[in-house]
Amino acid sequence: MTTSAIELASLLCSRLCHDMLSPVGALSNGLELLSDEKDPEMRQRCFELLDQSARISADKLKFFRLAFGAAGGFGDMVPVSEARALVDALIANNARIVVNWSLGSDILPKPAIKTLLNFALIGIEALPRGGTLDIAAELRPDQLTSGTSEIVVRAAGPRIAFDRDVGRALEGTLPEGDLSSRTAPAAMIQQLAQSLGGRLQYALGDDALVLGAVLPGV
């Protein structure tokens, strides 16, 4: 690993810890409340909150395992239904976001799945006030490779929230010194796309963010 790769891995770990802190902290608080609570109705409420926090924690870990990690158990090709289930679970408790899927292929190469998941994460974060998240993906046949993956994610809603440094990380123009846990996922998939000879792009408007990727196969 190069120094930059080590730094990127550290920042991805920091991002994971940041996102897991809230549901894991809720588990800890719930257990503390449960140990002191004697009222049966309140104890039942504590159990419900514990169950919700445990489910959210598990869903996030499954998502980040494939989005950031090596995700053992999958080969070079991953069912798109797996990515769909992970994204749907990630926003299951956010009624303000509606996800629309348009999938032209049943499977995609693992780099494409990782890009799709990280695009979805960026799109979700761009919708703090809710909106729609449209996700499209397709594997186009190629006689010389395993096919070219095309991915588009569109986040539409009021007052889109998008860090320009995330955009620069997607373009590969963010200075290494400006890399942070917030921009690390975008930098990771940019390096992944570059290694495949692919490209990432984005377009930002007042009420929509569009993310696109073209990733050649190997």
Side-chain angles (χ1 to χ4, degrees), residues 15-33 49-62 64:
R15 172 59 188 268
L16 173 62
C17 292
H18 174 272
D19 282 30
M20 292 301 301
L21 186 61
S22 178
V24 172
L27 277 172
S28 177
N29 292 337
L31 288 171
E32 184 177 346
L33 287 172
L49 291 174
L50 285 171
D51 179 71
Q52 181 184 47
S53 297
R55 178 167 42 81
I56 292 174
S57 298
D59 288 341
K60 285 193 171 187
L61 284 173
K62 290 175 183 177
F64 289 124

Side-chain angles (χ1 to χ4, degrees), residues 55 59-60 63 80-95 97-101 103 116-117 120-121 124 133 135:
R55 178 167 42 81
D59 288 341
K60 285 193 171 187
F63 181 93
V80 183
S81 59
E82 183 71 23
R84 179 171 182 166
L86 293 174
V87 173
D88 287 344
L90 193 66
I91 64 167
N93 293 304
N94 190 341
I97 296 180
V98 176
V99 183
N100 301 310
W101 292 88
L103 302 173
L116 185 155
L117 291 176
L121 183 63
I124 291 168
L133 189 68
I135 302 176

